Coordinates of all heavy atoms in Angstrom, one line a residue:
Chain B
K14 N 71.2 78.6 108.0 CA 69.9 78.7 107.8 C 69.7 79.7 106.6 O 70.0 80.8 106.7 CB 69.0 79.1 108.9 CG 67.6 78.7 108.8 CD 66.7 79.2 109.9 CE 66.3 78.2 110.7 NZ 65.3 78.7 111.9
T16 N 67.5 82.1 104.6 CA 66.3 82.8 104.5 C 66.3 83.5 103.2 O 67.4 83.9 102.6 CB 66.2 83.8 105.8 OG1 67.4 84.7 105.7 CG2 66.4 82.9 107.1
Q18 N 66.3 86.9 103.0 CA 67.1 88.0 103.1 C 68.7 87.5 102.9 O 69.3 88.1 102.3 CB 67.0 88.7 104.5 CG 65.5 89.2 104.7 CD 64.6 88.3 105.2 OE1 64.7 87.1 105.1 NE2 63.4 88.7 105.7
R19 N 69.0 86.4 103.6 CA 70.3 85.9 103.4 C 70.6 85.5 102.1 O 71.7 85.8 101.6 CB 70.6 84.6 104.4 CG 70.6 85.1 105.8 CD 70.9 83.8 106.7 NE 71.3 84.4 108.0 CZ 72.0 83.5 108.8 NH1 72.1 82.3 108.7 NH2 72.3 84.1 110.1
T48 N 62.0 95.7 104.4 CA 61.9 95.7 105.8 C 63.4 95.2 106.4 O 63.3 95.1 107.6 CB 60.8 94.8 106.3 OG1 61.0 93.5 106.0 CG2 59.5 95.4 105.8
T53 N 70.3 92.4 110.6 CA 70.2 91.2 109.7 C 71.5 91.2 108.8 O 72.2 90.4 108.6 CB 69.0 91.0 108.6 OG1 67.9 90.9 109.5 CG2 69.2 89.9 107.7
Chain D
dA6 P 65.3 73.7 120.6 OP1 65.4 72.5 121.4 OP2 64.9 75.1 121.0 O5' 66.8 73.8 119.8 C5' 67.0 73.1 118.7 C4' 67.4 74.0 117.5 O4' 66.2 74.7 117.0 C3' 68.3 75.3 118.0 O3' 69.3 75.4 116.9 C2' 67.4 76.4 117.9 C1' 66.4 76.2 117.0 N9 65.1 76.7 117.1 C8 64.4 76.9 118.3 N7 63.2 77.4 118.2 C5 63.1 77.6 116.9 C6 62.0 78.3 116.1 N6 61.0 78.7 116.7 N1 62.3 78.3 114.8 C2 63.4 77.9 114.3 N3 64.5 77.4 114.8 C4 64.2 77.3 116.1
dT7 P 70.5 76.4 117.2 OP1 71.7 75.7 116.6 OP2 70.4 76.9 118.5 O5' 70.1 77.4 116.0 C5' 69.7 77.0 114.8 C4' 69.1 78.2 114.1 O4' 67.8 78.5 114.5 C3' 69.9 79.5 114.1 O3' 70.2 79.9 112.9 C2' 69.0 80.5 114.8 C1' 67.6 79.9 114.5 N1 66.4 80.2 115.4 C2 65.3 80.7 114.9 O2 65.2 80.9 113.8 N3 64.3 81.0 115.8 C4 64.4 80.8 117.1 O4 63.4 80.9 117.9 C5 65.7 80.2 117.8 C7 65.8 79.8 119.1 C6 66.6 79.9 116.8
dC8 P 70.9 81.3 112.6 OP1 71.7 81.0 111.4 OP2 71.4 81.8 113.8 O5' 69.6 82.1 112.0 C5' 68.7 81.7 111.0 C4' 67.7 82.7 110.8 O4' 66.8 82.9 111.8 C3' 68.3 84.2 110.6 O3' 67.8 84.7 109.3 C2' 67.8 84.8 111.6 C1' 66.6 84.2 112.1 N1 66.3 84.2 113.6 C2 65.0 84.7 114.0 O2 64.2 85.1 113.1 N3 64.5 84.6 115.3 C4 65.4 84.3 116.2 N4 65.1 84.1 117.5 C5 66.8 83.8 115.8 C6 67.0 83.7 114.5
dT9 P 67.9 86.2 108.8 OP1 68.0 86.3 107.4 OP2 69.2 86.7 109.7 O5' 66.7 86.9 109.5 C5' 65.4 86.6 108.8 C4' 64.4 87.7 109.4 O4' 64.3 87.6 110.7 C3' 65.0 89.1 109.0 O3' 64.0 89.9 108.5 C2' 65.3 89.6 110.4 C1' 64.3 88.8 111.4 N1 64.9 88.5 112.7 C2 64.1 88.6 113.8 O2 63.0 89.1 113.7 N3 64.6 88.4 114.9 C4 65.9 87.8 115.3 O4 66.2 87.6 116.4 C5 66.7 87.8 114.1 C7 68.1 87.3 114.1 C6 66.2 88.0 112.9
dT10 P 64.2 91.4 107.9 OP1 63.4 91.6 106.7 OP2 65.6 91.5 107.8 O5' 63.6 92.1 109.3 C5' 62.3 91.8 109.7 C4' 62.1 92.6 110.9 O4' 62.5 92.0 112.0 C3' 62.6 94.0 110.9 O3' 61.6 95.0 110.9 C2' 63.4 94.1 112.0 C1' 63.1 93.0 113.0 N1 64.2 92.4 113.7 C2 64.0 92.0 115.0 O2 62.9 92.2 115.6 N3 65.0 91.5 115.8 C4 66.3 91.2 115.0 O4 67.2 90.7 115.7 C5 66.4 91.6 113.7 C7 67.7 91.3 113.0 C6 65.4 92.0 113.1
dG11 P 61.9 96.6 110.4 OP1 60.8 97.0 109.4 OP2 63.3 96.7 110.0 O5' 61.6 97.2 111.9 C5' 60.3 97.0 112.5 C4' 60.5 97.7 113.8 O4' 61.4 96.9 114.6 C3' 61.1 99.0 113.8 O3' 60.1 99.8 114.8 C2' 62.4 98.9 114.3 C1' 62.5 97.7 115.1 N9 63.7 96.9 115.1 C8 64.5 96.8 114.0 N7 65.6 96.0 114.0 C5 65.5 95.5 115.4 C6 66.2 94.7 116.2 O6 67.3 94.1 115.9 N1 65.7 94.6 117.5 C2 64.5 95.2 118.0 N2 64.2 94.7 119.2 N3 63.9 96.0 117.2 C4 64.3 96.1 116.0

Side-chain angles (χ1 to χ4, degrees):
Chain B
K14 199 183 252 188
T16 64
Q18 295 87 345
R19 285 188 162 188
T48 68
T53 295

